Amino acid sequence: MKILNVVGARPNFMKIAPIHREMGKYPQIEPVLVHTGQHYDEKMSKLFFQDLQLPEPDVYLGVGSGTHTEQTARIMLAFEKVMEEQKPDLVLVVGDVNSTAACSLVASKMQTKIAHVEAGLRSFDRTMPEEINRMITDALADFLFVTEKSGLENLKNEGIADEKVFFTGNVMIDSLSFFLEKAKESSILSDLHVNGSPFALVTLHRPSNVDVKDNLEDLLHTLSVIGKDVKIVFPMHPRTKKMIETFDLQNYISSSENLIITDPIGYLDFMQLMQNAKLLLTDSGGIQEETTYLGIPCITIRENTERPITIDLGTNVLVGPQSERIIEETNKILSGNGKKGKVPELWDGHAAERIVKILVERL
Ligand code: UD1
């Protein structure tokens, strides 16, 4: 049983790692790791392979950046050749990035079965490129592995047959629980001089927050206000860095002494920062889930989330981009009144085991 495990961008790596490892336990499975190269910087890609103990990709497509259409088209052209050479029995994709949708389209046109891990999540916001990727992938997939119950409902509403859908839990939490102890060996807290001092951890990279000058400027201003009360560690995504330079907003960064800006940070160092932070301020999808698992308060700077369980049950609060709301919620957390949460069902470190077992039994 040959299975192509596809990754492309940073948030894919921690999702594929436990699945690829689990497949290695079954002699009847031949897992082939395909990296599209959507993310290619050492700190966005290679570092994660090392931290997550992933082997070198068997196939690397090197597609790089571009407009969404260019990137998607390049992935499709390159992946079609891989499909012709490898002739897999299944293509397994994770998450919602352009590589996820592009490779699903190719697989379905070549009449190969598709498994989508992290199926059914919906923000109901079609201005997000990820929402389109989720819808396309779920419409084409033969196995849909769901992380939270909202996903079951969304897929039912879209008319996806029940027998294709499996509630298996969250593979991102498999990686987090597997590497949490190892992350404690990281020296990142002393490297950044936040050992023992309270700090907020920030990530921002959504186009809606960083690609519009006024929005990005407002957010940087908000951070400078928060930075008067607490240290801020802000590992900066290349998109955000590029937009700060394009809009000439560097003065916000250089003028705030409590603001510690770094390059993108590897998986283990980031986990160590996250588990020691007072709070997270983010527009990421995965971080909403990781903070819920860790019980760390998370303020999500977006109008919506495709991961509602992190709000219903977890530590996540959705605030939108308004400065007053972000500052109000931050102060609440800093004064010890942050949200307490619970760990959602099946976020137990064993999701990959359930997924691979189902594939072995049914493929
Ligand atoms: C992509 C995903 C997003 C995910 C994010 C995590 C899509 C549609 N978006 O967004 O869902 O949350 O990854 O990081 O798939 N760049 C580099 N080095 C790299 C990669 C990118 O410098 O290794 C720069 C390039 O200038 C590029 C820009 O970042 O144009 C954006 O990269 P891209 O892959 O288009 O989207 P992300 O914003 O990273």
Side-chain angles (χ1 to χ4, degrees):
M1 197 191 298
K2 190 188 257 195
I3 301 182
L4 300 192
N5 287 329
V6 175
V7 289
R10 186 169 63 175
N12 291 160
F13 306 137
M14 58 294 272
K15 293 172 192 164
I16 215 73
I19 298 171
H20 201 70
R21 196 174 334 109
E22 182 65 17
M23 286 181 179
K25 296 181 188 162
Y26 288 81
Q28 66 269 50
I29 302 183
E30 185 193 344
V32 178
L33 189 57
V34 181
H35 186 343
T36 66
Q38 178 176 343
H39 283 176
Y40 44 87
D41 281 352
E42 182 142 347
K43 288 178 176 158
M44 298 293 284
S45 177
K46 194 161 181 213
L47 192 48
F48 282 77
F49 273 67
Q50 286 162 359
D51 278 1
L52 292 158
Q53 297 167 7
L54 268 167
E56 292 270 313
D58 299 295
V59 184
Y60 184 74
L61 302 179
V63 297
S65 303
T67 66
H68 286 286
T69 303
E70 280 165 354
Q71 192 175 56
T72 306
R74 279 209 295 268
I75 298 168
M76 288 182 71
L77 289 172
F79 191 65
E80 184 178 47
K81 293 209 177 70
V82 179
M83 291 288 289
E84 277 161 0
E85 279 159 26
Q86 298 277 347
K87 303 196 180 2
D89 300 292
L90 178 84
V91 171
L92 183 142
V93 295
V94 295
D96 55 17
V97 302
N98 285 343
S99 301
T100 311
C103 294
S104 300
L105 262 169
V106 174
S108 84
K109 285 183 185 289
M110 297 177 83
Q111 282 151 43
T112 304
K113 288 212 157 69
I114 300 164
H116 183 207
V117 174
E118 202 185 90
L121 296 181
R122 295 290 181 270
S123 64
F124 303 102
D125 174 1
R126 290 196 188 187
T127 65
M128 282 179 81
E130 294 82 2
E131 184 74 354
I132 309 295
N133 292 337
R134 290 179 201 119
M135 290 163 55
I136 290 174
T137 308
D138 285 342
L140 301 175
D142 302 278
F143 296 91
L144 296 96
F145 296 112
V146 173
T147 53
E148 63 164 80
K149 292 251 169 92
S150 71
L152 299 175
E153 217 172 293
N154 295 333
L155 294 173
K156 198 181 257 313
N157 291 341
E158 289 175 24
I160 309 271
D162 282 349
E163 55 270 26
K164 293 196 209 169
V165 179
F166 306 90
F167 177 44
T168 42
N170 194 329
V171 286
M172 186 166 233
I173 303 303
D174 288 13
S175 273
L176 181 54
S177 58
F178 190 80
F179 286 108
L180 209 49
E181 280 311 305
K182 188 149 191 359
K184 291 189 175 143
E185 294 165 16
S186 151
S187 62
I188 191 77
L189 298 174
S190 46
D191 294 349
L192 298 180
H193 308 292
V194 290
N195 217 346
S197 45
F199 65 93
L201 182 58
V202 175
T203 80
L204 288 174
H205 75 282
R206 291 269 156 232
S208 56
N209 282 331
V210 306
D211 285 5
V212 181
K213 184 178 181 199
D214 286 351
N215 298 0
L216 182 55
E217 187 163 10
D218 282 352
L219 286 172
L220 292 175
H221 173 73
T222 306
L223 292 183
S224 68
V225 175
I226 294 172
K228 293 191 177 123
D229 295 327
V230 67
K231 281 189 180 179
I232 295 176
V233 177
F234 186 179
M236 200 172 277
H237 189 284
R239 173 189 283 277
T240 311
K241 185 167 183 239
K242 191 170 88 181
M243 297 323 289
I244 287 177
E245 284 159 10
T246 306
F247 298 142
D248 203 12
L249 296 171
Q250 291 94 330
N251 58 318
Y252 283 96
I253 298 172
S254 43
S255 64
S256 315
E257 61 178 64
N258 255 358
L259 187 55
I260 304 161
I261 309 268
T262 73
D263 282 343
I265 282 182
Y267 185 72
L268 295 171
D269 286 343
F270 194 80
M271 291 306 117
Q272 174 67 340
L273 280 171
M274 189 153 56
Q275 60 183 323
N276 284 282
K278 275 273 166 234
L279 72 145
L280 270 282
L281 286 151
T282 191
D283 58 10
S284 149
I287 289 172
Q288 298 171 51
E289 298 183 336
E290 289 164 333
T291 46
T292 275
Y293 180 78
L294 293 171
I296 308 278
C298 179
I299 298 175
T300 297
I301 304 175
R302 284 176 45 188
E303 303 283 6
N304 50 54
T305 178
E306 60 288 335
R307 293 161 160 91
I309 195 136
T310 62
I311 292 178
D312 299 342
L313 207 66
T315 53
N316 191 20
V317 193
L318 207 55
V319 294
Q322 299 79 15
S323 188
E324 311 78 61
R325 282 285 292 129
I326 298 171
I327 292 168
E328 185 189 336
E329 283 301 328
T330 301
N331 288 339
K332 212 193 249 179
I333 295 166
L334 291 178
S335 62
N337 296 311
K339 213 172 150 188
K340 312 267 182 304
K342 288 197 191 117
V343 177
E345 197 181 343
L346 296 189
W347 291 20
D348 59 359
H350 300 287
E353 290 161 39
R354 289 186 279 269
I355 289 169
V356 177
K357 187 161 180 284
I358 290 168
L359 291 175
V360 168
E361 284 168 1
R362 310 215 177 196
L363 197 61

